[in-house]
Amino acid sequence: MNVKLKLLSTGVLFFLGSASLLAQENGRRKKDTADVKDIEEVVVVGLKSTTKKQAVISTAKIESEKINNRPNSNLMNIAQGQLAGVNISTGSGQPGSKPTVVIRGFSTINGNTDPLYVIDGFPTNADSFRSLNPNDVESMEVLKDASATAMYGNRGANGVIVIRTKGGGFASKTVFNYRSQIGVSTLQNNRYNMADAKQLLTIEKMASAGKGNGMTYDQIANFNVNTNWLDYFFNPSLLQSHDFGITTGGQNLSSYTNVGYLEQQGVLSTTGLKRFSLRTNVNGKTNNNKFTYRVGVYAGLSRNTQASSLGTGGVNQNLVIGGLRGAPYISPNDYVSGGGISANLVNTPLFLMDKERTYKSATDDLRLDLTSEANYKITDELTATMRANAQLLSLDGNSYQTPDAWNSVYFKASNQTWIGWETMSTSRQFNFNNLYQLSYSKRIGDHKIDVLGGYEYNNYMIKTTSFTQNGLNPKVWVPGTGTGYPAFVAGDNYNVPKVSAGQSRLNMYSYFANLDYDYKSKYGVVANIRRDATSRFSKDNRWGTFWSVGARWNINEENFMKDVNWVNILKLRGSYGTAGNQRIVDGTIFAGLNPKAYLNSYVTGSNSYNGTQALGISLGYPDLHWETTKQWNAGVDFELFKRRLRGTFDVYEKKGVEIFYPWPQSYLIGTGSVNMNSPIDLKNNGIEVNFAYDVIKNSNLTLTLRGNGAMNKERVYNLPSSPLIDGTIPMQYSANGQLYQAPYVYHYLGVNQSNGNLLFEDANGNPTETPTTADLKPLKYGFNPRFQGGFGFDLDYKGWFVNTTFTYVAKVYRYDYDWASVMDPSNLGSFNVSADLLNAWTPTNTNTNIPSLKAQNINYDGLSDRFLVDGSYLRLRNVQVGYNVPKSLIKNTFVNSLSITLQAENLVTWSKWKGFDAESNIGSDQGRYPSPRIYTLGFDIKF
């Protein structure tokens, strides 16, 4: 509590500090008699910035108008479809969930694939983005090629996303800004054609299974219970957000302060997110501009209530299963509390009704960021920079299952005295970043040289504790207070509390240098080198050296282009270099540290000999070192016809080498594999395009078309065996020079019209009812899309505006296990199924594509492509319709500007996918939380 009070006090101090700037003398500005010139766009290049004209890098950027006021609690969800070569996919519609972000394909197999996020110069990660307010963001830029990422060395292997938050301008007026959104979220529809109660009873009668088997057709026709369990567990939910900001600036000091509140209920019962945020950014300088500084404070506090066990088949735990597959002839009125529900699978929705009432899980997430930067011009050519950034991430979780829960009562052991449980967990993570940098810039005639060098230190520390009390006294137990914990009962082993704790620490040191040479603004060469060390590896292997070189040719600056008036910018660029990945184990930045993978580790075992304790050994790899990503890129930037047509085109190759992998070993050493840097190479080749075209541009009407697209082809080399077959059901196929882990399946042909069994294609192309291993075939595409991108248009007419964003992915497969479950006749009597089973094969209904309800070879479809679906989709991700109120209508009021916006998210999706949500970040779908459709009304007022 003291920490929170101190944090709020700090925020109030900064907030009041912004207001105090009003007392500063703005200063009288001299009239500018110079000609107005266009300001060149600035892009981020590693640890510095340059103009777009002089950059040699491949980058993609979106500005605040495409980020702010979108109804998404996670910043990265907003960027979907707006960044070429960046595949952003959500695995859950749960408010606050983290999406998967992949830039130019994977360059690791078992390692972490997250890009590095740099917020106002502070390298961080996306683990707590639910506590970050997207309305604070000014711009987001993705650095993709080696020349752009090499300056980040050990953290740039997966790409870098640079986020800049808002700030005030010097000598500017004070502006107050209030933004508000209200809206509603609804469940997207599925196309499984689920049976109603009468249809399900009829199918059960056909299959001689379940409740329908004992009913006559007249009884079925007169049956009057028909529960839509989707409507019970999923409901339209409300969303609201409010932001109040102040931007102001004196002659030498400017600031931006914003206070925000978001409340987003989940469409699935028991889920939701509440977030309070406060950001203050202060920029200052001296009168002679020799010393400049920036200080930023961000505090985000969120409470996330979650549904557990999603994506699994736990029928008494997964609420999505109850909604989709709950038998409609079961009524909510059948529910009884206190564990009195009969343990029959057909009562699954009743079990889940009980869980809805008796199980809760919530996480409080506190995020505090402190960022600072100071620059001092020692001379006109030499500048010193220092950055110090710190971050505190604090998570407090509380989950419980009440003593009267059905799961508590039913699974009570015979010698168990108290039932129910409660878990309280805490996590405290502190991250620190410190950078010292010298930069030198010199122009000699037509030559310009920029040299930069520096040192960076990063420290990450975490401590975790968890306590589970097994057994609660219902008379005095109060959630989260520690009361109602009965004393240990002798002989009751269940009643023993479970306690765990852990801590980890990671240090990284870096030295880096950059050389940027320009000649006449026509030709440029940029070189980077970085020496990195990480405590993740042993002393002999902790250092790695990464580098890049890039070049550009500004063709439009050549003399032979002077008379080509329709070309404004035409630039060729290219780069080659390396980057390192030390996060060789997927998960948080602390994954793989305890125990360290280069050491042998021992665990106690349950087996013993002659009364001694057994030890199990896990062999480490002493020579463990960096994974390395090698990448080349060639591209062109263009702006034509007075910038009406502008865009970029890139071709690249990205290859991960010395990939961390469980390499096979002789069992003579006691294990079948050792995790090590292997000979495996993972290569991605691709093409990216990004464009915008102003179809109409005049004082009254502007119409801009924009789009981006990317193609990425993945191949793997130097596997331990080729082909390499992984998995059981399903199976994946990998071969040198081909896709890594392609689906390995029987091809499903349909129904044998003579007996209703399933037919598959054998190796010779003939139908068979009993396929063998020899009939398995790898598919051309896998679980990551070959193509992805987005497009849309922006229309502005006399204050009215319409903006759209479409997103798409293509050439990707995913298993639809929800579809498989509702088409499985073995589920009859326990769960609902698709009404398509009414058309199942019978001796009198042979012309059908639905197998017999009693097909003898139904189990073969688990290894087939019957439920392996083309997951390609085109989605209207966002559409906005709004109006900027004319200034003439608010002329005599305190309001400077007012806009009203209606928008919708995930409005329409075109896909072969039958489930709720075609979008996913995994290769299979079962009982997962679908992304909702969201409608909002927003107001933006400045005064």
Side-chain angles (χ1 to χ4, degrees), residues 132-192:
L132 193 67
N133 187 350
N135 286 330
D136 288 330
V137 174
E138 180 66 31
S139 66
M140 181 161 55
E141 190 165 0
V142 179
L143 311 182
K144 296 182 283 189
D145 68 352
S147 187
T149 62
M151 286 190 72
Y152 291 101
N154 60 40
R155 294 157 300 164
N158 298 320
V160 181
I161 297 179
V162 180
I163 298 169
R164 183 166 63 92
T165 61
K166 296 175 181 177
F170 295 115
S172 61
K173 294 181 179 180
T174 299
V175 177
F176 298 89
N177 188 191
Y178 173 68
R179 293 176 172 177
S180 177
Q181 284 191 92
I182 55 174
V184 62
S185 302
T186 62
L187 181 67
Q188 297 188 67
N189 298 323
N190 68 73
R191 294 184 287 120
Y192 293 137

Side-chain angles (χ1 to χ4, degrees), residues 376-395:
Y376 183 73
K377 296 189 71 171
I378 302 172
T379 68
D380 290 341
E381 298 161 343
L382 183 64
T383 302
T385 299
M386 187 278 288
R387 291 177 184 167
N389 306 301
Q391 181 181 70
L392 174 66
L393 300 175
S394 176
L395 276 73

Side-chain angles (χ1 to χ4, degrees), residues 761-794:
E761 184 179 70
D762 68 13
N764 299 317
N766 300 314
T768 179
E769 292 185 4
T770 55
T772 65
T773 302
D775 301 322
L776 291 166
K777 299 175 183 178
L779 299 185
K780 185 178 181 180
Y781 304 107
F783 306 116
N784 300 306
R786 177 69 61 88
F787 301 94
Q788 63 88 22
F791 59 90
F793 69 83
D794 303 317

Side-chain angles (χ1 to χ4, degrees), residues 62-82:
I62 52 177
E63 304 286 356
S64 59
E65 61 267 19
K66 301 296 182 185
I67 299 173
N68 300 162
N69 285 344
R70 289 278 297 274
N72 285 281
S73 55
N74 193 295
L75 171 64
M76 294 313 300
N77 287 334
I78 297 172
Q80 286 178 310
Q82 301 190 62

Side-chain angles (χ1 to χ4, degrees), residues 615-628:
L615 288 177
I617 183 172
S618 178
L619 296 179
Y621 181 60
D623 195 36
L624 187 69
H625 54 273
W626 301 85
E627 292 182 341
T628 301

Side-chain angles (χ1 to χ4, degrees), residues 207-445:
S208 302
K211 184 182 183 74
N213 185 39
M215 299 177 66
T216 66
Y217 285 110
D218 285 340
Q219 289 174 322
I220 293 174
N222 294 318
F223 194 80
N224 58 8
V225 174
N226 187 32
T227 306
N228 187 331
W229 287 106
L230 279 177
D231 287 346
Y232 182 87
F233 290 106
F234 289 89
N235 291 283
S237 60
L238 299 179
L239 174 150
Q240 62 169 320
S241 69
H242 306 275
D243 285 88
F244 183 76
I246 303 175
T247 305
T248 189
Q251 185 172 349
N252 294 328
L253 197 65
S254 68
S255 74
Y256 163 84
T257 297
N258 187 67
V259 178
Y261 176 75
L262 168 75
E263 183 174 353
Q264 184 177 6
Q265 298 173 5
V267 292
L268 180 63
S269 176
T270 74
T271 64
L273 175 69
K274 295 180 180 180
R275 178 181 67 213
F276 168 81
S277 63
L278 170 67
R279 179 179 295 278
T280 293
N281 291 335
V282 177
N283 293 277
K285 64 185 180 68
T286 57
N287 286 330
N288 60 7
N289 290 324
K290 278 197 169 185
F291 179 69
T292 61
Y293 62 91
R294 173 183 55 81
V295 178
V297 175
Y298 178 78
L301 178 61
S302 67
R303 169 162 291 181
N304 197 196
T305 52
Q306 306 131 350
S308 67
S309 303
L310 301 181
T312 70
V315 296
N316 62 324
Q317 299 288 345
N318 188 336
L319 297 182
V320 177
I321 288 180
L324 176 65
R325 297 168 57 191
Y329 54 67
I330 299 295
S331 170
N333 296 328
D334 297 334
Y335 171 77
V336 291
S337 60
I341 305 167
S342 174
N344 190 318
L345 286 178
V346 77
N347 289 325
T348 289
L350 304 180
F351 304 155
L352 295 169
M353 283 180 63
D354 188 85
K355 181 182 179 180
E356 185 184 42
R357 292 161 169 76
T358 61
Y359 172 90
K360 301 295 180 184
S361 177
T363 301
D364 290 344
D365 187 344
L366 172 66
R367 174 175 179 148
L368 174 62
D369 292 354
L370 302 174
T371 61
S372 65
E373 179 178 318
N375 299 277
Y376 183 73
K377 296 189 71 171
I378 302 172
T379 68
D380 290 341
E381 298 161 343
L382 183 64
T383 302
T385 299
M386 187 278 288
R387 291 177 184 167
N389 306 301
Q391 181 181 70
L392 174 66
L393 300 175
S394 176
L395 276 73
D396 292 285
N398 178 240
S399 302
Y400 62 82
Q401 182 175 288
T402 64
D404 63 341
W406 184 88
N407 283 305
S408 298
V409 175
Y410 181 75
F411 292 102
K412 179 182 179 181
S414 58
N415 62 338
Q416 189 172 332
T417 307
W418 303 98
I419 57 178
W421 56 264
E422 180 174 36
T423 296
M424 288 190 282
S425 59
T426 61
S427 170
R428 300 288 184 270
Q429 180 177 338
F430 180 75
N431 305 330
F432 179 73
N433 167 259
N434 194 199
L435 177 142
Y436 299 93
Q437 177 179 299
L438 281 175
S439 57
Y440 177 80
S441 180
K442 182 71 174 179
R443 181 177 288 278
I444 305 174

